[in-house]
Amino acid sequence: MRPSEHAESAAVGRARLRIAVITGLIITLLVTVVGVVADTVMTRAQSDQVWRELRYGASRGDLSSPPVCTWLYAHGATPLANAPAGFPVRADLDRVVATGDTVERTVRRADTVYLVRTQIRADGPVVQAVFDMRFQLADRRHLWYALGVAEAVGLIAAALTGLVLGRLSVAPLAEALARQRRFVTDASHELRTPVTLVYTRAQVLARQAKAAQLPATHRDGLTRLVGSVGRLGEVLDDLLLSASLTAGPARPAERVPVDLTALARSVVDEEAERIRDSGLTVTVGGARRTLFVGGIESALRRAVGELLSNAIRHTPAGGRIEVTLTRSGSTVELTVSDTGPGFEAAEAERLFERFHRAGDGGRYGLGLALLREVVTGHGGTVAAAGRPGRGARFTIRLPECAPPPARVPASAVAAGHG
């Protein structure tokens, strides 16, 4: 399976899992709400019914043959043989005798609940009625057990629903994204060659126009054409890089130790002519030793080049750009700061959005968005900081890695064998 196909399959799997989890949570919430409502309704109905029976038994029940689950206690009456221990409640009897008021209470004993009502009957004696709630409590437990079974069935249904919805909705979306990426890649590949030819031809025509001393308007037009075609080529490169990054991160075998210090100096050297034409001063400083990070050199070169190009583009003539490399723990930091117009603090995160247009009208295109994809794909982070009129600072942080093993000269190997 190709990396892009593996990434798409993993994305579809994660989407299906999310759908199953969300569906399961919804079903769980619904079952819980239904359970709470049912338990509340059942508890209230049982309580009302039991209190009605208890009050009737206390007022009119036969002391020798009380209703089911009810025991009646009165002075001179013999309790039934199966009466629960701990009754009657003497304190309630004494209180009713003293005050004449009816007393109701709930008593928990021996893993069950008893409702107790003590009152004076119309015919004179003080009677205490006790009702055992064990059967009603068992009904409630059976209700929650049934709801638990319904919850388990619901979760299984949620998992099946997630798989079905994943196949019906997520898979076509993944296929559409894959087709879109393939179209971008194919179109970029097909356009890259003719654009390169046009760019080369435009450069030749511009040099010939300069040598032939054509009118200034013609020369300026050819110069602008060269610049426009060059920017078009950069956009195509960005699209190809974006498609390759979306297809999946580089395999470990493709990563090698990259000297970030040497790479940064090389990028600055490549931009020397542009820096000179822009009237800028660029310095590279920081660490005095080499700093290695694991990755793909071409991609990292593109990332550092984008930061430097961005700084050159937004720094006015006479400005200064500093490229600084430092080591912090096990992380290598590369910072590019400039003396340009800067940006609002609220813009910092949005700068990495594709084709973001800053408040000053500056357009950042695909570059910084792809920069973040490259850095993230290498296990790092990138952050921007700046203030209006105070310049901007972009910092890349990448995990440090060990330098490549030193190569032993062939002569030394031969001497060792000799």
Side-chain angles (χ1 to χ4, degrees):
M1 181 181 292
R2 292 178 300 176
S4 59
E5 296 175 349
H6 180 74
E8 293 167 10
S9 178
V12 171
R14 289 193 297 270
R16 289 175 178 173
L17 179 60
R18 284 195 295 270
I19 292 175
V21 170
I22 293 173
T23 307
L25 291 176
I26 293 175
I27 291 178
T28 300
L29 179 61
L30 290 176
V31 172
T32 302
V33 170
V34 171
V36 171
V37 172
D39 183 72
T40 301
V41 172
M42 175 182 286
T43 300
R44 180 169 295 181
Q46 287 180 342
S47 179
D48 292 343
Q49 179 183 358
V50 169
W51 279 113
R52 283 196 301 269
E53 294 179 1
L54 190 63
R55 289 163 187 158
Y56 177 84
S59 301
R60 303 179 183 179
D62 186 352
L63 296 179
S64 61
S65 181
V68 179
C69 298
T70 303
W71 292 269
L72 299 177
Y73 299 89
H75 180 71
T78 302
L80 298 178
N82 63 347
F87 293 101
V89 180
R90 296 296 178 182
D92 290 354
L93 291 171
D94 295 340
R95 178 179 173 183
V96 171
V97 171
T99 64
D101 297 331
T102 299
V103 177
E104 293 182 345
R105 72 164 66 230
T106 301
V107 179
R108 297 181 180 274
R109 289 179 182 172
D111 298 327
T112 188
V113 176
Y114 297 94
L115 302 185
V116 182
R117 177 183 173 89
T118 308
Q119 69 173 60
I120 299 177
R121 281 190 173 185
D123 55 356
V126 176
V127 177
Q128 184 172 101
V130 178
F131 188 93
D132 188 349
M133 292 282 294
R134 68 178 68 242
F135 294 112
Q136 285 74 14
L137 296 177
D139 290 340
R140 297 176 193 176
R141 287 193 295 269
H142 292 156
L143 171 64
W144 282 108
Y145 176 77
L147 292 174
V149 173
E151 176 69 17
V153 174
L155 291 177
I156 295 175
L160 296 176
T161 302
L163 293 176
V164 173
L165 292 179
R167 292 184 180 277
L168 295 179
S169 59
V170 179
L173 177 60
E175 183 179 356
L177 293 175
R179 289 180 178 178
Q180 181 185 31
R181 184 168 58 254
R182 285 195 298 270
F183 170 77
V184 171
T185 303
D186 295 342
S188 300
H189 272 297
E190 293 297 328
L191 290 173
R192 194 67 186 89
T193 299
V195 168
T196 301
L197 294 176
V198 172
Y199 181 64
T200 303
R201 184 58 180 167
Q203 286 180 314
V204 172
L205 290 175
R207 287 195 294 267
Q208 291 176 348
K210 185 176 181 180
Q213 296 183 349
L214 292 179
T217 54
H218 293 177
R219 294 198 304 269
D220 292 342
L222 286 172
T223 301
R224 287 194 294 272
L225 176 62
V226 171
S228 298
V229 177
R231 286 190 292 273
L232 178 58
E234 292 176 356
V235 171
L236 291 176
D237 289 339
D238 287 343
L239 291 174
L240 285 172
L241 178 60
S242 176
S244 64
L245 290 174
T246 307
R251 294 186 295 269
E254 298 174 345
R255 298 175 180 266
V256 296
V258 177
D259 184 352
L260 200 60
T261 305
L263 186 146
R265 295 184 184 278
S266 174
V267 170
V268 172
D269 291 340
E270 292 173 357
E271 295 283 357
E273 183 177 352
R274 184 181 174 192
I275 293 170
R276 183 174 58 255
D277 294 342
S278 301
L280 304 174
T281 301
V282 179
T283 60
V284 181
R288 297 184 178 180
R289 65 182 184 85
T290 55
L291 297 173
F292 286 91
V293 296
I296 301 176
E297 182 175 358
S298 59
L300 292 174
R301 180 178 294 275
R302 184 65 182 276
V304 177
E306 175 59 31
L307 281 189
L308 181 60
S309 177
N310 179 70
I312 294 173
R313 188 164 56 248
H314 291 87
T315 304
R320 181 180 179 85
I321 299 174
E322 295 182 357
V323 181
T324 308
L325 293 105
T326 57
R327 180 175 179 271
S328 177
S330 59
T331 302
V332 176
E333 295 184 358
L334 183 145
T335 302
V336 177
S337 55
D338 61 59
T339 57
F343 51 82
E344 296 286 347
E347 294 281 331
E349 186 63 25
R350 291 196 292 269
L351 293 178
F352 298 98
E353 297 176 0
R354 298 190 177 203
F355 301 111
H356 171 69
R357 191 177 293 275
D360 59 359
R363 188 183 180 194
Y364 288 83
L366 281 170
L368 292 181
L370 294 179
L371 162 68
R372 168 168 282 186
E373 291 184 21
V374 170
V375 174
T376 303
H378 283 73
T381 61
V382 59
R387 294 176 60 185
R390 301 286 185 89
R393 184 176 70 255
F394 290 83
T395 302
I396 293 176
R397 296 179 177 86
L398 294 167
E400 187 178 18
C401 76
R407 293 183 179 179
V408 180
S411 57
V413 175
H417 283 293

